[in-house]
Amino acid sequence: MIYPIYVYGTSVLRKKAEEIDQNYEGLDQLIEDMYETMKHSDGIGLAAPQIGKSIRLFIIDGSETSTEEGEEDLRNFKKAFINPLILEESGDFWSFNEGCLSIPAIREDVERQERIRIQYYDPEFNFRDEVYEGVKARIIQHEYDHLEGILFTDKINPLRKRLINGKLNAIARGKVDAEYKIKFSVKK
Ligand code: NI
């Protein structure tokens, strides 16, 4: 099943998402649907709040990316992260042009640290403790932020933010062309 994507302005994107446990109903199906939704909308990562579910789950699938998007080969990077916790971020801050399915048609440079250590559960609820760097770390940091109610546009410089403010407000009113179905907050 393909879900509509909740876009900028919807309240679910601003909530801190809740942890889930092994008994969460329909978890395997949900993860499968998230992969399908993401593929359909041509994304590389998708967090549950982006489909209106305020739970601590995100997926990443780099299998269809070209190497142009980073110096690393992301094509074998396909994973679901459940109840993730970033324990540590380290290394230099570096800039990368980010986009987000919840903020269609906007890309901006965002500074993040180059390395992370993350603990999470995989879909079989095995505990994982891993280190990532570069573009992989970047994608995880972006998706992780969604679980904290943070969007990449919160992290860009104030001048850029002012310049795109009109576009962001338009997205909140549903005035944006996306190749996929969206849910927006209706404002009077
Ligand atoms: Ni995003």
Side-chain angles (χ1 to χ4, degrees), residues 75-133:
R75 266 170 284 186
N76 298 319
F77 192 38
K78 183 175 178 181
K79 270 186 182 187
F81 295 75
I82 297 166
N83 298 343
L85 180 66
I86 291 182
L87 293 173
E88 205 183 309
E89 292 182 286
S90 60
D92 292 336
F93 281 86
W94 65 295
S95 187
F96 189 79
N97 201 245
E98 294 189 20
C100 180
L101 294 176
S102 293
I103 312 176
I106 292 181
R107 297 194 74 91
E108 292 290 333
D109 290 341
V110 181
E111 302 250 331
R112 299 186 193 268
Q113 278 179 284
E114 61 192 355
R115 200 171 308 106
I116 60 161
R117 182 177 159 209
I118 186 169
Q119 293 182 337
Y120 65 98
Y121 292 88
D122 69 15
E124 287 75 45
F125 263 81
N126 299 304
F127 179 74
R128 307 274 179 180
D129 186 335
E130 293 167 354
V131 171
Y132 290 95
E133 54 185 28

Side-chain angles (χ1 to χ4, degrees), residues 45 50 99-102 142-143 146 151-152:
Q50 295 182 274
C100 180
L101 294 176
S102 293
H142 176 115
E143 299 310 325
H146 278 299
L151 299 171
F152 81 86

Side-chain angles (χ1 to χ4, degrees), residues 35-36 38-45 60-69 73-78:
Y35 279 121
E36 195 185 345
M38 198 183 71
K39 195 165 252 182
H40 174 74
S41 47
D42 219 9
I44 190 166
I60 291 172
D61 184 0
S63 59
E64 296 194 1
T65 49
S66 64
T67 43
E68 287 164 39
E69 299 198 36
D73 189 359
L74 296 171
R75 266 170 284 186
N76 298 319
F77 192 38
K78 183 175 178 181

